[in-house]
Amino acid sequence: MNSGLGEDSTSDSSISPASWIEEVSLRTVDPDGSLRPVVLRIGPSSGALIALLDDGVLTEISGTDYLDCLAQARRQLERDGRLLCCQGARPDVHPSGQLRQFSNGRQAYVRFPDLQGEAPEIVDIFAPAEPGDVVGLEDQRAAVVRAWNARHPGHQI
């Protein structure tokens, strides 16, 4: 089933297991704090493809880069009221355009507005994060906009 978002839900992957370069075990958190396991399978860096394995259902997600794929997976989980517990879902994590292009969207900066002049930490967006550290896509976007506006008062977005 193709939803037009680059998603293809299947019970088996159309990509051979050897084509997945990595498998990451993560958790999701419900509004009541309940945790459930999920697995992300990550395709080669030459493309942008991941697969979300959730309750026995495998959903392949393609996008412009890994960050786009992750956003689609998060959107799917958020429709069920669940947040994905990964570094890419933290409100203080966001890539620059250059880092996003360089890493095919796999890496992002941890932004601390108080650390003027220090290089920000770089994280793998698929690395696990604690349930209390993650937010939904809209809350993450709002946090990025607030941080930008605070640092660039004359150039509000």
Side-chain angles (χ1 to χ4, degrees), residues 126-156:
F126 297 123
E130 291 300 315
D133 292 343
V134 299
V135 296
L137 284 162
E138 291 303 316
D139 290 335
Q140 185 181 37
R141 182 185 183 289
V144 168
V145 169
R146 276 192 308 276
W148 172 269
N149 288 343
R151 291 184 70 125
H152 304 91
H155 303 287
Q156 302 287 303

Side-chain angles (χ1 to χ4, degrees), residues 90 92-97 109-113 120-121 144 147 151:
R90 291 175 41 190
D92 61 344
V93 170
H94 187 73
S96 68
Y109 290 112
V110 178
R111 305 213 181 253
F112 292 106
E121 176 186 1
V144 168
R151 291 184 70 125

Side-chain angles (χ1 to χ4, degrees), residues 39-128:
V39 172
L40 283 182
R41 293 181 180 157
I42 303 166
S45 61
S46 59
L49 180 68
I50 66 170
L52 173 66
L53 182 58
D54 182 25
D55 286 335
V57 177
L58 186 73
T59 304
E60 290 183 5
I61 303 167
S62 62
T64 57
D65 62 16
Y66 288 128
L67 186 63
D68 182 38
C69 293
L70 179 62
Q72 290 182 58
R74 291 175 60 198
R75 197 170 294 114
Q76 177 179 323
L77 292 166
E78 287 178 27
R79 284 193 292 261
D80 294 333
R82 298 161 59 201
L83 299 177
L84 185 60
C85 298
C86 66
Q87 294 293 314
R90 291 175 41 190
D92 61 344
V93 170
H94 187 73
S96 68
Q98 186 176 17
L99 181 59
R100 186 172 181 174
Q101 182 179 5
F102 175 75
S103 69
N104 198 23
R106 177 83 190 244
Q107 297 177 329
Y109 290 112
V110 178
R111 305 213 181 253
F112 292 106
D114 298 337
L115 298 178
Q116 298 291 332
E118 290 187 36
E121 176 186 1
I122 296 174
V123 294
D124 179 345
I125 63 169
F126 297 123

